[in-house]
Amino acid sequence: MALPQAKLDATDARIAALTLPEGASWAREAREGGLLRLRTMGLPGPRDEYWRFTRPDALNAASTPGAAIFKSDETALFGDIDRLRVVFRDGVFDADASDDLSLENIEIERLETATAKDIHWAKDLYGVLETRGQTPVKRPFAAMNTAFATDGVVLRATGKVSKPVSLVYLHEKTDSDAILHFVIRVETGADLTVLENGPAAARFNKCMEVDICDGGTFHHVRAQGRDHERLAVTHLFARLGEESTFKSFTLTANGRLTRNEAVIEITGDNATAHVAGAAVGDGDFHHDDTVFVTHDAVNCESRQVFKKVLRNGAVGTFQGKILVKAGAQKTDGYQISQALMLDEDAQFLAKPELEIYADDVICSHGSTSGAIDDEALFYLSSRGIPNAEAQDLLTLAFLAEAINEIENEAIAADILSRLEGWLERHRSA
Amino acid sequence: MLKINNLHVKLEEEDKQILKGVNLEVPAGKVHAIMGPNGSGKSTLSYVLSGKDGYEVTEGSATLEGAELLDLDPEERAAAGLFLAFQYPVEIPGVGNMTFLRTAVNAQRKARGEDELSAADFLKLIREKAKSLKIDADMLKRPVNVGFSGGEKKRNEILQMAMLEPKMCILDETDSGLDVDAMKLVAEGVNALRSEGRSFLVITHYQRLLDHIKPDVVHIMADGRIIKTGGPELALEVENNGYADILTEVA
Ligand SMILES: Nc1ncnc2c1ncn2[C@@H]1O[C@H](COP(=O)(O)OP(=O)(O)OP(=O)(O)O)[C@@H](O)[C@H]1O
Ligand SMILES: [Mg+2]
């Protein structure tokens, strides 16, 4: 079906100011492919099945509405973790602020450099996992990202990488509109942790493609900054080989609009994929997790654990699907999405989906939204714990299942302390 | 210590009077027991004293060492020295028992202007108290009351009481659900805490507990009032004859 002219016009208006970056012919082709996909599907609209809960207008707009810079007096997240820092300032790689990009068992290369080479391993992945992830659900902003991404890095882990690669996204201009693309390949038996931290820009479009070969392990922990007005649409595409492990956790605090998509395809037997998130919002906050996990192999486990704490008009949405293809026997799929409403004004919309074509599987899903348990609150206060502290304790308990998905204890402790700080700052009067 | 004067309480949500003029005084260092038929208002009294929502005091007062209790928030009452061992202890998934107790102990110390307990001191203290109540390390690590047996929950209440060292302890049917040995353990825990400056109000249905925790005074509550007060022999009378005689006697 051809795209209606109005939708095509809107799409062209959205990308009018963007140009396809130069590169080797494979990279040009990949980018042109992304552009073609985008112009074929068009920008999302409220009638698109997976955009009913989230208005894409601010993401569709030709220019960014802008976002004030957030000044934080907190110490840098992951500051005590020994890591290799790759810094982007409003979506532009900053070599001076970054560490030396060399580390044993991993190749780190700027996207621009990698895509300029005629022969490069990233050719098999750039825009490739994104394309696979376009079926059956359209993801226009990911296609747009493949076409127009201006910066990013490609990572290839060949063994156990001794410290995390930490992507640091600084936001310093009120009108920055960044598009970053990352390609990650975890070779057979390799082990890599990637951290992401920061808002990146007033409006941020990020795409990360992760290919985990047999026996590979990939850990991912991200925090999306504390800026209130920023917009973000992110895609995480992962393909899992045999006996591989993928674990991703996202902390979102504040942000006018965040759409985080995770599209995970399990192609090898005995693999594990966990994707989790904790989102906390107060006021002008719309947070959307859209997850699609495909089981296409035997004896694999997947978990989706998403928790949101909402107050004062904040909105949380969750769309999570588990697709078990024919033959994907012994699948163990789990999905939970829960919202804790700290007042009556918050809103949570959830759409859990299961689609199963194999008979020997265990899949469970649940979605709830509710308030703090009064009985528990009274029990804590009756022991002398002040109400606000008791609320925080119960809220952190609510978030615990998601935070527990972070394997590294120091990183988990750091994330937990950010949540504690947020809750303390956002207590009810 | 605790002085309850003509306390009238109704439910906030519906027009139902539950306490209809309770008068009760527990002097410092004494153990008083309350017995009474199901639904007579014993738990309601304990909740109202600890500050639970949902009840409206329509008349009367309650003071702890002369200070008006009913104006305080639950956490302030706790810091002032009031403790309620719940008839039905609440399960709190996700909050570790140890974290909960440390937070509570330190919150109370802070409220009283005392220094917080160091992690090491706290650990030493809780291990010692847990041991005497036969609460193992695993129970301390688990989320508060989650998956605890009925008896374990009750012992956990006494552990909290021992850690918080309140002045006025209200025990609401702490004996129900306990096996004979656990009952002894709990009674020993309570007796170890008995002192001149600490009072107890023990709500129970059974004389048995009172064999272990010897009360100074026994009150009978019925239909929202204390209808009879006497010595320990009153508990025996209830054990042998039930409430019928007492109820007709006062009617
Ligand atoms: N929140 C409530 N909603 C409705 N009724 C209530 C509520 N709380 C108490 N009641 C009623 O008040 C009366 C007293 O209840 P309470 O729990 O205080 O009795 P009790 O003496 O502790 O009984 P038991 O010996 O069975 O524990 C009962 O009739 C009970 O149903
Ligand atoms: Mg009761």
Side-chain angles (χ1 to χ4, degrees), chain B residues 39 41-44 87-88 172-173 203 205:
Chain B
K42 305 180 297 296
S43 292
T44 302
Q87 181 173 1
Y88 305 107
D172 191 357
E173 292 196 28
I203 299 171
H205 286 294

Side-chain angles (χ1 to χ4, degrees), chain B residues 11 14 16 18 36-45 55 87 172-173 205:
Chain B
L11 290 177
E14 48 185 299
K16 185 174 171 189
I18 298 179
N38 293 133
S40 54
K42 305 180 297 296
S43 292
T44 302
L45 176 65
Y55 304 99
Q87 181 173 1
D172 191 357
E173 292 196 28
H205 286 294

Side-chain angles (χ1 to χ4, degrees), chain A residues 373 375-376 378-387 389 393-394 397-398 400, chain B residues 52 74-75 78 83-84 86 92-95 100 103-104 107-108 145 157 160:
Chain A
D373 177 1
E375 295 286 329
F378 173 63
Y379 191 70
L380 295 177
S381 344
S382 79
R383 296 315 183 228
I385 303 175
N387 196 276
E389 232 177 291
L393 212 54
L394 294 173
F398 164 81
Chain B
K52 193 176 188 196
E75 63 264 29
F83 180 89
L84 167 64
F86 283 56
I92 310 185
V95 177
F100 158 61
T103 311
Q108 291 203 16
N145 294 326
E157 294 291 289
Q160 293 168 39

Side-chain angles (χ1 to χ4, degrees), chain A residues 199-259:
Chain A
R203 184 166 66 175
F204 185 35
N205 178 336
K206 191 207 73 178
C207 181
M208 186 177 269
E209 297 174 287
V210 186
D211 194 26
I212 310 169
C213 302
D214 296 350
T217 300
F218 179 70
H219 287 276
H220 172 235
V221 178
R222 110 175 114 170
Q224 300 183 285
R226 279 174 55 192
D227 296 38
H228 290 277
E229 295 170 3
R230 62 127 188 92
L231 314 172
V233 54
T234 77
H235 289 84
L236 175 57
F237 296 97
R239 180 169 62 188
L240 277 73
E242 216 171 287
E243 282 171 19
S244 67
T245 303
F246 167 92
K247 286 190 182 174
S248 170
F249 171 90
T250 300
L251 164 67
T252 312
N254 309 335
R256 178 172 289 158
L257 173 62
T258 309
R259 163 92 161 197

